[in-house]
């Protein structure tokens, strides 16, 4: 039996309740420290499947701006953030670019594309 | 002299929302003057997500949020000038500006909406001893370098102040390969949103040192390190706690100040607490016909509220031009016991909408306290709050019917109560 305790801080509201999640063999055994329903839900999601939206920039060739801002279209698993940043490294895109244009189809096998969040006209 | 009904100073989120609101409320003779080379203001460099949850029910990045408003302004055909610096506003509502094509331009306005936003507090305001080496940036300047220009300001970074921009930049610089050694906060609590502390610091194991500040900056040509000290209850550094931290960059995220040089030129009365104009329920300043909204008025946490506030200013500017804004006795809103200020500061019941949103910040952290509203001596609202913190703006809603029910009402008091 593998026991693990995770301490996280709830982001549901400014209270920032310190939550403790006990995990046994990959399953949540108990959640303590929350003071509302949202805290419990947050703890479950944060422990079993933490996800984040990643945002960054990519250099633009022949654009009116030098950089275009980009994001993962939806959130991706938290442990893929670093790989996602590496995938964006050394990448360049050609202007023109529109908001929503796909920059990388399926970043790091997450099934999530990276899209532009700014329009850049051709210089 | 050119004539326009409504001149909007600044094309950031507040200016854009104000312009759209003016148009939709029936006045199309509007012009936006923007000093940068594009509309959208500071949102253009806020490439992180989390904008627009209230307005669009989805999480957008800053540029996406701005683009929606810019598209609307353009589709309505609202006039705007870029690269145009407003240099003066007179109390007679003459707006003087300069740009490369029009030269000096003077516009006689019937109404003006101030939407200039805010500025970051700089090193000069902090009195940190040391030389003036390269490597000291405000967090927003660093954000511009990284996100717009594509430059890294440094490799080993200490951040002073835990405002949201500092937290966002701690994550951003980490993702770009820098080592963010710590975030120091002189107060016993962070001024940033809880979500940013978790997702920008905790996610990357960046320590947040509460009750700590930077007491000296080392380096002559370039920053080589900083002295970090713990502070006592009076925010004075404790000498025995000094710790040298090697770094090449110091970011300052130590507060935002509404930018009111122009407002002062027009002799608009400034509130000492917010450093923004004194306004009434219509967001009219002390000078009739000059309105203010967004961060020029008081610094907001969420752009959604900036947009809402600016839409109200736009609507009332149109009313003013039509001569529909009433003058008369106003009810004063007094902020007391832990409520630092309120926006608006007065309400004229004749002009009040069905509901008046009053926004404010508390001066300290309160747990399990009550937010109370008194109409003269009668307590009409008593809301239990699990937490109140200066880092999160609060609001209460005042229904118009309260005024109808109490024709002799003189004063509204908003305060924090223990029970």
């Amino acid at each position: 039996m593998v026991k693990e305790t995770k301490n996280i801080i709830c982001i549901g509201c400014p209270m920032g309740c310190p939550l403790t999640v006990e995990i046994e063999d990959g399953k949540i055994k108990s959640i303590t420290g929350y003071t509302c329903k949202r805290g419990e839900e947050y703890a479950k999601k944060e422990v079993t499947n933490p996800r984040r939206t990643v945002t960054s920039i990519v250099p633009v060739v022949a654009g009116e701006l030098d950089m275009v801002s980009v994001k993962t279209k939806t959130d991706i698993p938290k442990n893929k953030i670093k790989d996602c940043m590496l995938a964006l490294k050394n990448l360049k895109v050609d202007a023109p670019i529109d908001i929503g244009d796909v920059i990388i189809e399926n970043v790091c096998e997450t099934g999530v594309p990276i899209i532009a969040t700014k329009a850049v006209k051709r210089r | 002299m050119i004539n326009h009904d409504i001149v909007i100073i600044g094309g950031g989120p507040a200016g854009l929302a104000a312009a759209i609101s003016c148009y939709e409320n029936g006045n199309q003779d509007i012009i936006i003057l923007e000093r940068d080379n594009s509309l959208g203001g500071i949102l253009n460099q806020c490439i992180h997500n989390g904008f627009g949850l209230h307005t669009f029910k989805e999480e957008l990045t800053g540029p996406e949020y701005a683009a929606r408003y810019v598209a609307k302004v353009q589709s309505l055909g609202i006039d705007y000038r870029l690269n145009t610096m407003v240099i003066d506003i007179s109390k007679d509502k003459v707006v003087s500006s300069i740009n490369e094509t029009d030269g000096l331009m003077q516009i006689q306005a019937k109404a003006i909406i101030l939407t200039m936003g805010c500025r970051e507090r700089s090193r000069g305001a902090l009195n940190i001893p040391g030389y003036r080496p390269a490597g000291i940036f405000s967090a927003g300047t660093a954000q511009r370098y990284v996100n717009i220009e594509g430059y890294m300001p440094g490799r080993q970074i200490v951040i002073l102040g835990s405002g949201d921009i500092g937290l966002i930049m701690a994550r951003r610089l980490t993702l770009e390969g820098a080592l963010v050694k710590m975030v120091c906060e002189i107060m016993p609590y962070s001024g940033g949103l809880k979500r940013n502390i978790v997702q920008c610091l905790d996610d990357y194991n960046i320590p947040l040192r509460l009750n700590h500040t930077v007491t000296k900056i080392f380096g002559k040509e370039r920053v080589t390190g900083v002295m970090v000290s713990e502070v006592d209850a009076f925010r004075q550094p404790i000498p025995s706690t000094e710790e040298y931290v090697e770094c090449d960059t110091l970011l300052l995220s130590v507060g935002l100040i509404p930018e009111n040089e122009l407002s002062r030129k027009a002799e608009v009365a400034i509130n000492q607490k917010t450093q923004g104009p004194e306004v009434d329920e219509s967001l009219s300043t002390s000078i009739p016909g000059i309105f203010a909204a967004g961060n020029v008025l008081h610094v907001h946490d969420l752009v959604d509220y900036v947009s809402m506030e600016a839409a109200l200013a736009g609507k009332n500017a149109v009313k003013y031009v039509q001569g529909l804004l009433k003058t008369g006795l106003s009810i004063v809103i007094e902020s007391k016991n832990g409520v630092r200020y309120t926006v608006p500061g007065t309400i004229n019941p004749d002009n009040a909408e069905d509901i008046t949103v009053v926004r404010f910040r508390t001066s300290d952290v309160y747990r399990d306290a009550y937010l109370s509203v008194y109409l003269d001596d009668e307590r009409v609202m008593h809301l239990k709050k699990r937490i109140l913190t200066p880092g999160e703006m609060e609001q209460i809603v005042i229904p118009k019917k309260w005024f109808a029910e109490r024709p002799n009402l003189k004063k509204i008091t908003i305060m924090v109560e223990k029970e």
Side-chain angles (χ1 to χ4, degrees):
Chain A
M1 194 160 53
V2 190
K3 273 193 181 176
E4 199 189 349
T5 306
K6 280 193 177 171
N7 293 308
I8 52 178
I9 293 171
C10 182
I11 63 164
C13 81
M15 287 280 290
C17 295
L19 311 176
T20 305
V21 186
E22 293 197 346
I23 303 160
E24 259 182 38
D25 295 328
K27 281 191 181 138
I28 295 173
K29 193 161 170 278
S30 74
I31 303 173
T32 49
Y34 62 89
T35 51
C36 76
K37 186 83 192 154
R38 270 198 296 177
E40 192 182 7
E41 293 296 322
Y42 174 75
K44 268 185 208 161
K45 195 173 175 215
E46 191 63 14
V47 167
T48 53
N49 184 21
R51 296 174 74 89
R52 300 284 187 269
T53 298
V54 179
T55 63
S56 190
I57 51 163
V58 174
V60 182
V61 179
E64 278 188 350
L65 301 174
D66 293 334
M67 299 286 155
V68 64
S69 51
V70 299
K71 70 172 182 183
T72 54
K73 191 173 180 184
T74 62
D75 49 14
I76 61 167
K78 194 175 149 187
N79 61 18
K80 294 269 190 178
I81 295 175
K82 207 172 176 186
D83 292 341
C84 178
M85 287 302 291
L86 286 173
L88 285 167
K89 208 178 172 185
N90 303 324
L91 197 68
K92 279 184 182 168
V93 289
D94 290 316
I97 302 154
D98 211 352
I99 288 187
D101 280 2
V102 174
I103 306 293
I104 299 178
E105 289 270 355
N106 169 9
V107 72
C108 308
E109 311 296 314
T110 54
V112 176
I114 288 188
I115 60 171
T117 58
K118 206 182 261 187
V120 183
K121 286 187 193 147
R122 204 168 167 82
R123 189 164 56 211
Chain B
M1 185 94 71
I2 309 163
N3 289 287
H4 280 291
D5 277 1
I6 303 170
V7 177
I8 297 171
I9 320 289
L16 295 170
I20 293 165
S21 170
C22 289
Y23 191 99
E24 289 178 343
N25 282 287
N27 195 320
Q28 274 108 57
D29 188 12
I30 318 159
I31 187 167
I32 306 172
L33 303 176
E34 165 57 46
R35 70 178 168 196
D36 208 345
N37 57 14
S38 61
L39 294 172
I42 212 69
L43 287 172
N44 290 324
Q45 70 181 54
C46 298
I47 64 163
H48 55 281
N49 74 321
F51 299 88
L53 262 173
H54 294 264
T55 313
F56 300 111
K57 310 293 171 221
E58 60 180 309
E59 277 196 56
L60 302 173
T61 62
E64 292 172 303
Y65 187 95
R68 295 199 179 188
Y69 282 85
V70 172
K72 189 85 189 271
V73 162
Q74 288 172 337
S75 74
L76 295 175
I78 293 171
D79 198 4
Y80 61 87
R81 296 291 151 84
L82 301 176
N83 301 306
T84 303
M85 183 81 186
V86 175
I87 51 172
D88 191 54
I89 303 173
S90 74
K91 58 182 172 186
D92 311 320
K93 299 193 264 295
V94 174
V95 178
S96 308
S97 64
I98 43 170
N99 68 28
E100 283 188 359
T101 46
D102 302 300
L104 177 68
M105 186 165 53
Q106 288 199 299
I107 306 173
Q108 174 67 63
K110 290 179 185 164
I112 294 171
I113 308 179
L114 306 171
T115 52
M116 293 91 77
C118 59
R119 277 188 184 211
E120 296 178 280
R121 188 168 282 130
S122 62
R123 178 191 173 182
L126 302 178
N127 292 322
I128 309 172
Y131 286 100
R132 297 174 147 264
I136 306 169
F137 304 90
S138 70
T141 304
Q143 190 178 42
R144 185 178 172 97
Y145 280 145
V146 179
N147 292 345
I148 304 273
E149 322 281 348
Y151 294 116
M152 282 291 279
R155 288 284 150 204
Q156 291 194 58
I157 293 152
V158 169
I159 300 177
L160 174 59
S162 61
D164 285 309
I165 313 170
L167 300 176
I168 292 288
M169 284 313 292
R171 172 175 65 185
R172 186 76 190 101
L173 291 164
T174 304
L175 287 175
E176 290 293 351
L179 173 65
V180 178
K181 293 198 157 175
M182 62 178 71
V183 175
C184 297
E185 170 58 61
I186 195 167
M187 301 299 284
Y189 51 83
S190 165
L193 300 172
K194 189 59 81 181
R195 157 195 164 115
N196 285 337
I197 293 179
V198 170
Q199 298 195 347
C200 298
L201 300 187
D202 297 356
D203 271 6
Y204 302 93
N205 299 316
I206 300 166
L208 172 61
R209 300 271 197 95
L210 297 173
N211 297 308
H212 278 73
T213 192
V214 170
T215 46
K216 194 167 181 191
I217 300 169
F218 297 90
K220 207 164 179 182
E221 299 295 323
R222 175 83 200 188
V223 173
T224 54
V226 294
M227 192 70 87
V228 169
S229 304
E230 196 175 337
V231 297
D232 62 22
F234 305 99
R235 281 187 253 159
Q236 294 304 308
I238 306 167
S240 60
T241 62
E242 281 185 341
E243 179 193 348
Y244 178 76
V245 182
E246 196 183 304
C247 62
D248 58 26
T249 302
L250 174 68
L251 293 197
L252 303 174
S253 177
V254 288
L256 300 168
I257 304 161
E259 187 173 353
N260 280 289
E261 283 93 340
L262 290 170
S263 321
R264 287 193 175 92
K265 283 189 177 175
E267 297 176 31
V268 161
I270 301 293
N271 180 307
Q272 288 310 308
K273 297 254 176 74
T274 58
Q275 289 298 307
E278 302 265 13
V279 291
D280 62 17
E281 76 299 319
S282 306
L283 302 180
S284 168
T285 65
S286 61
I287 299 193
I290 301 186
F291 298 80
N295 282 353
V296 79
L297 184 52
H298 59 146
V299 178
H300 295 63
D301 313 324
L302 299 180
V303 70
D304 303 69
Y305 295 141
V306 168
S307 300
M308 279 180 231
E309 198 174 84
L312 179 66
K315 184 178 178 182
N316 285 308
V318 172
K319 271 181 152 175
Y320 175 82
V321 172
Q322 293 169 328
L324 296 176
L325 218 51
K326 307 272 197 322
T327 51
L329 271 186
S330 282
I331 298 162
V332 175
I333 306 179
E334 186 189 24
S335 27
K336 235 168 83 169
N337 294 1
V339 175
R340 214 161 76 81
Y341 70 87
T342 64
V343 169
T346 57
I347 299 179
N348 178 343
D350 291 338
N351 293 327
E353 308 263 327
D354 290 341
I355 55 163
T356 302
V357 179
V358 178
R359 300 194 168 93
F360 58 92
R361 286 181 195 275
T362 57
S363 49
D364 206 346
V365 177
Y366 298 94
R367 284 173 193 278
D368 294 316
Y370 293 85
L371 263 183
S372 299
V373 179
Y374 287 79
L375 301 180
D376 289 332
D377 294 327
E378 173 197 0
R379 187 165 76 190
V380 289
M381 204 186 278
H382 193 55
L383 294 173
K384 171 124 198 208
K385 286 281 180 178
R386 307 225 8 238
I387 190 159
L388 293 161
T389 148
E392 313 240 351
M393 188 183 280
E394 295 289 332
Q395 66 176 50
I396 56 142
V397 166
I398 296 184
K400 192 175 181 171
K401 64 169 193 210
W402 283 359
F403 308 125
E405 290 161 5
R406 296 168 188 80
N408 297 318
L409 180 62
K410 296 266 184 307
K411 190 171 77 177
I412 300 170
T413 308
I414 302 178
M415 64 169 95
V416 179
E417 289 183 312
K418 287 273 148 56
E419 52 192 38

